């Protein structure tokens, strides 16, 4: 089996999970499930990023120890995973021993090789962003942008990682590996960023300013800069598991591509003598009315509200159907409700209900064998072959929103086929030719619904299991075999009709 290693970013253990965090997990999970169905041995890592100034401050404000604080927050992130049907193999916390051990050993190795040096640092520091700022970060009027919060000038000796020495190599690498970053235009942005000379990276924080971090192995007066620590999670989680590193994809948001993932990370790996990941998959942001959702702007939507109300599958479907991976997407409850009602309640839910209902009414609940496939059946089958021929490559290229668009067009065509064949009319006819048509129609409905359901598996794991169960389907063969038109349900006993996606209650009328 081919091994496939995929990661999400590790979330700051500094606040509760929100829609952006949920989305990234779901996107990664869809890819992980897709690869598993294709036969890969998948290792899927997620986790929490637990060191740094912000965590230290938040813990202090609450009057508790940082460890106690991150234990609670990390648990919240962990608890979210099963609720979203995330099939991760591992969950890493940067406060775990296995992680600290790797960070410490890489630091020592880099120090011994001379890639880390000590120097006096003078600079403007943003506590909120936990980074030193540069002159070019100032606004035209000389002040600092608000996102940096309070900015103070600091002079202190620190440790630096030699980035600049590897700038030419990185440019060369990115130029030769065009598909390293998805979408491609992001790779161009990185190359653009690399036109300016790189500064070496300050990887230490003096203990008196920051205690909550991994101590530098060669100077106990300092802890490790949180990004240097955090990036190594992808490797530390699997360092003891042979055959997994390097990662196939790191799934990250656009805000953490440059410089951490596109500049620091490849250089750290190169210097540590480790193979580079095969790619960085960069998604956009979920916005509300054009603004990024974040704690500080207060427009954070609790993803769990929709999950509790409509189920994880509907939530996953909406996020994957709506977001063109790479671009930003707008979120609103209204957009969710519109998709839910049209695609899930009407198109898919109705199809399931009708198929079960008619199979029970006209065939004693047993899927009949097709007898006389006429033009409508051949057209539907041809459409399936075309849909599948597009669906798989679209998934392969992370174009899930278009893949789902095609799949739901197929589902609507099944519904149109049912309208056209009108089994309820055929069922009333005494003509034996109509009885044949009826059995063929019931078989065709069931088969096309089965195929659409099998294709939907990576996106809606629980709902598709349920549909397969009520159709009386038994698992057989590989995913690709199951995706081929083949009337696999002939003779299957279906369940009673049921409503899979209940229509949301209409909003209460406004009081006069
Ligand atoms: N801890 C760092 C990542 C370290 S990875 C070695 C971090 N954490 S975060 O909690 O701020 O963000 C985690 C992920 O969620 C990032 O990939 C980020 O882009 C993503 N999102 C946060 N808000 C988002 C949206 N509103 N929309 C989509 N994803 C966004 O960065």
């Amino acid at each position: 089996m081919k091994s496939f290693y995929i990661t999400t970013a590790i979330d700051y253990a500094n606040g509760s999970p929100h829609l952006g965090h949920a989305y990234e997990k779901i996107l990664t999970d869809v890819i992980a499930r897709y690869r598993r169905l294709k036969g890969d041995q998948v290792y899927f890592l997620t986790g929490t990023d637990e060191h740094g100034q912000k965590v230290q401050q938040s813990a202090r404000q609450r009057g508790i120890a940082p460890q106690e604080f991150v234990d609670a927050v990390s648990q919240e992130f962990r608890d979210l995973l099963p609720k979203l049907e995330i099939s991760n193999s591992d969950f890493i916390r940067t406060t775990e021993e296995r992680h600290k051990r790797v960070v410490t050993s890489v630091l020592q190795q880099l120090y011994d090789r001379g890639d880390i040096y000590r120097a006096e640092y003078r600079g403007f520091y943003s506590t909120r962003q936990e980074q030193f700022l540069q002159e070019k970060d100032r606004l035209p009027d000389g002040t600092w942008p608000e996102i940096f919060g309070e900015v103070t000038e600091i002079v202190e000796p620190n440790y630096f990682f030699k980035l600049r020495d590897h700038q030419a190599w990185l440019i060369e690498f990115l130029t030769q590996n065009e598909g390293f970053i998805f979408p491609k235009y992001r790779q161009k942005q990185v190359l653009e960023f690399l036109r300016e000379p790189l500064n070496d990276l300050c990887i230490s924080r003096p203990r008196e300013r920051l205690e909550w971090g991994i101590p530098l192995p060669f100077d106990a007066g300092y802890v490790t800069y949180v990004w240097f620590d955090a990036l190594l999670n992808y490797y530390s989680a699997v360092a003891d598991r042979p055959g997994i590193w390097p990662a196939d994809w790191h799934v990250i948001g656009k805000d953490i591509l440059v410089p951490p993932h596109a500049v620091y990370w490849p250089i750290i790996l190169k210097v540590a003598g480790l193979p580079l990941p095969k790619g960085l998959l960069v998604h956009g942001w979920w916005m509300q009315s054009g603004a990024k959702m974040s704690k500080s702007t207060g427009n954070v939507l609790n993803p769990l509200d929709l999950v509790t109300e409509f189920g994880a599958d509907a939530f996953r479907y909406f996020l994957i159907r709506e977001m063109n991976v790479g671009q930003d997407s707008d979120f609103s409850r209204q957009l969710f409700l519109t998709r839910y009602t049209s695609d899930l309640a009407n198109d898919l839910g109705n199809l399931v209900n009708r198929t079960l209902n008619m199979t029970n009414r006209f065939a004693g609940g047993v899927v009949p064998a097709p007898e006389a496939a006429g033009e409508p059946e051949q057209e539907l089958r041809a459409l399936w072959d075309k849909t599948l021929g597009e669906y798989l490559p679209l998934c392969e290229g992370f174009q899930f929103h278009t893949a789902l668009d095609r799949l739901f067009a197929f589902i609507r065509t099944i519904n149109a086929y049912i309208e056209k064949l009108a089994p309820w009319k055929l069922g009333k006819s005494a003509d034996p030719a109509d009885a044949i048509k009826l059995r063929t129609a019931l078989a065709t409905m069931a088969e096309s619904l089965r195929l659409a359901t099998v294709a939907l598996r990576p996106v809606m794991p629980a709902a598709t299991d349920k549909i397969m169960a009520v159709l009386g389907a038994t698992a057989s063969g590989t995913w690709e075999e199951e995706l081929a038109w083949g009337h696999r349900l002939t003779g299957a006993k279906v369940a009673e009709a049921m409503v899979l996606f209940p229509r949301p209650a209409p909003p209460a009328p406004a009081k006069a």
Side-chain angles (χ1 to χ4, degrees):
M1 260 202 225
K2 204 168 113 349
S3 94
F4 182 86
Y5 178 26
I6 191 161
T7 67
T8 67
I10 48 170
D11 302 318
Y12 283 128
N14 190 38
S16 295
H18 57 67
L19 178 64
H21 298 126
Y23 169 69
E24 190 174 280
K25 309 290 175 300
I26 290 170
L27 171 62
T28 312
D29 188 67
V30 169
I31 302 169
R33 287 179 187 269
Y34 174 81
R35 300 266 31 133
R36 261 187 228 116
L37 288 165
K38 297 274 282 184
D40 289 353
Q41 175 80 47
V42 174
Y43 199 83
F44 170 5
L45 177 73
T46 185
T48 40
D49 183 357
E50 306 190 2
H51 291 123
Q53 194 99 15
K54 282 181 245 177
V55 169
Q56 181 171 296
Q57 281 172 347
S58 302
R60 235 172 238 165
Q61 278 162 14
R62 285 170 183 72
I64 56 175
Q67 187 65 55
E68 193 187 331
F69 177 73
V70 293
D71 283 350
V73 181
S74 178
Q75 192 58 44
E76 258 191 81
F77 279 92
R78 206 191 273 263
D79 289 345
L80 181 63
L81 301 173
K83 292 186 183 136
L84 300 175
E85 300 181 82
I86 304 302
S87 60
N88 57 307
S89 333
D90 195 354
F91 186 95
I92 186 145
R93 302 183 53 188
T94 54
T95 48
E96 282 172 336
E97 271 319 308
R98 60 170 170 163
H99 175 71
K100 293 195 242 178
R101 204 167 43 237
V102 167
V103 173
T104 307
S105 117
V106 169
L107 281 167
Q108 187 66 51
Q109 186 193 342
L110 266 48
Y111 184 72
D112 293 343
R113 288 181 38 134
D115 287 298
I116 290 175
Y117 63 93
R118 187 182 160 100
E120 183 94 329
Y121 192 93
R122 174 188 289 271
F124 290 93
Y125 187 80
S126 152
T127 312
R128 184 184 295 171
Q129 296 299 323
E130 280 181 48
Q131 74 185 63
F132 282 102
L133 305 178
Q134 292 171 18
E135 283 306 318
K136 66 172 170 26
D137 294 321
R138 286 189 198 267
L139 294 172
D141 68 1
T143 61
W144 301 102
E146 216 186 292
I147 52 156
F148 294 124
E150 191 193 343
V151 175
T152 41
E153 193 176 17
I154 291 182
V155 184
E156 66 190 19
N158 260 311
Y159 289 88
F160 291 83
F161 174 48
K162 290 182 182 169
L163 284 183
R164 191 175 296 175
D165 286 5
H166 306 282
Q167 181 162 4
W169 164 81
L170 185 58
I171 292 171
E172 176 73 15
F173 172 80
L174 291 172
T175 313
Q176 295 201 344
N177 293 276
E178 261 200 14
F180 183 65
I181 302 173
F182 177 93
K184 274 194 177 147
Y185 69 88
R186 295 257 175 228
Q187 186 136 338
K188 296 208 181 81
Q189 288 175 354
V190 178
L191 285 164
E192 201 58 36
F193 174 84
L194 289 168
R195 285 161 81 122
E196 296 282 316
L198 278 179
N199 290 317
D200 287 344
L201 176 67
C202 180
I203 54 132
S204 61
R205 297 291 181 266
R207 266 226 155 111
E208 60 267 21
R209 192 146 58 75
L210 177 66
E211 273 204 66
W212 187 238
I214 302 178
L216 289 186
F218 41 81
D219 190 336
Y222 292 85
V223 299
T224 312
Y225 169 49
V226 70
W227 266 108
F228 191 97
D229 160 356
L231 286 163
L232 277 163
N233 88 87
Y234 303 132
Y235 175 68
S236 67
V238 297
D240 292 338
R241 295 171 178 269
I244 295 184
W245 188 261
D248 287 80
W249 290 101
H250 293 311
V251 180
I252 56 170
K254 62 179 186 177
D255 53 324
I256 57 172
L257 176 66
V258 187
H261 283 84
V263 179
Y264 305 161
W265 187 223
I267 296 180
I268 294 171
L269 288 167
K270 177 198 176 226
V271 178
L274 290 165
L276 263 52
K278 291 177 203 148
L280 306 176
L281 172 52
V282 187
H283 62 76
W285 281 338
W286 281 97
M287 321 281 273
Q288 270 178 304
S289 319
K292 190 193 170 196
M293 282 182 228
S294 73
K295 278 217 101 167
S296 46
T297 48
N299 58 353
V300 187
L301 188 117
N302 185 353
L304 285 180
D305 291 349
L306 284 169
V307 177
T308 317
E309 225 174 316
F310 296 97
D313 283 89
F315 184 66
R316 291 168 62 107
Y317 174 76
F318 171 77
L319 296 184
I320 298 299
R321 171 65 186 85
E322 210 68 22
M323 176 77 98
N324 177 347
V325 176
Q327 295 175 15
D328 292 347
S329 213
D330 231 342
F331 184 90
S332 76
R333 189 179 163 86
Q334 196 45 51
L335 283 169
F336 175 86
L337 288 179
T338 304
R339 273 263 172 247
Y340 177 87
T341 308
S342 70
D343 298 10
L344 300 182
N346 289 351
D347 297 344
L348 179 59
N350 229 353
L351 174 59
V352 173
N353 199 344
R354 287 168 123 183
T355 306
L356 298 176
N357 184 23
M358 289 182 215
T359 311
N360 281 308
R361 254 173 77 196
F362 302 121
V366 177
V367 179
E371 290 175 50
E375 211 176 295
E377 287 77 24
Q378 276 157 14
E379 272 174 22
L380 197 59
R381 178 175 180 164
L383 179 64
W384 171 250
D385 291 341
K386 182 172 174 280
T387 304
L388 185 65
E390 292 171 348
Y391 187 78
L392 296 177
L394 284 165
C395 290
E396 209 73 41
F398 309 126
Q399 301 299 297
F400 297 108
H401 67 299
T402 315
L404 290 177
D405 177 60
R406 300 293 143 81
L407 190 61
F408 274 74
F410 176 69
I411 290 172
R412 281 191 296 277
T413 310
I414 312 174
N415 280 320
Y417 165 87
I418 298 172
E419 294 297 325
K420 189 164 161 188
L421 273 279
W424 49 92
K425 281 189 197 150
L426 296 171
K428 283 189 195 140
S429 161
D431 183 348
D434 282 343
I436 293 179
K437 268 195 197 165
L438 173 61
R439 288 195 290 274
T440 304
L442 294 175
T444 304
M445 287 159 67
E447 178 61 0
S448 5
L449 169 58
R450 181 191 70 82
L451 290 164
T453 307
V454 172
L456 251 182
R457 266 191 184 144
V459 183
M460 305 179 74
T464 52
D465 277 355
K466 178 129 193 219
I467 300 174
M468 293 304 266
V470 296
L471 285 176
T474 42
S476 60
T478 64
W479 191 48
E480 268 144 326
E481 282 162 3
E482 281 195 71
L483 283 169
W485 188 285
H487 286 285
R488 286 167 172 256
L489 288 172
T490 305
K493 177 89 183 84
V494 305
E496 290 301 308
M498 54 140 194
V499 177
L500 195 59
F501 300 104
R503 260 163 247 281
K511 290 213 176 82

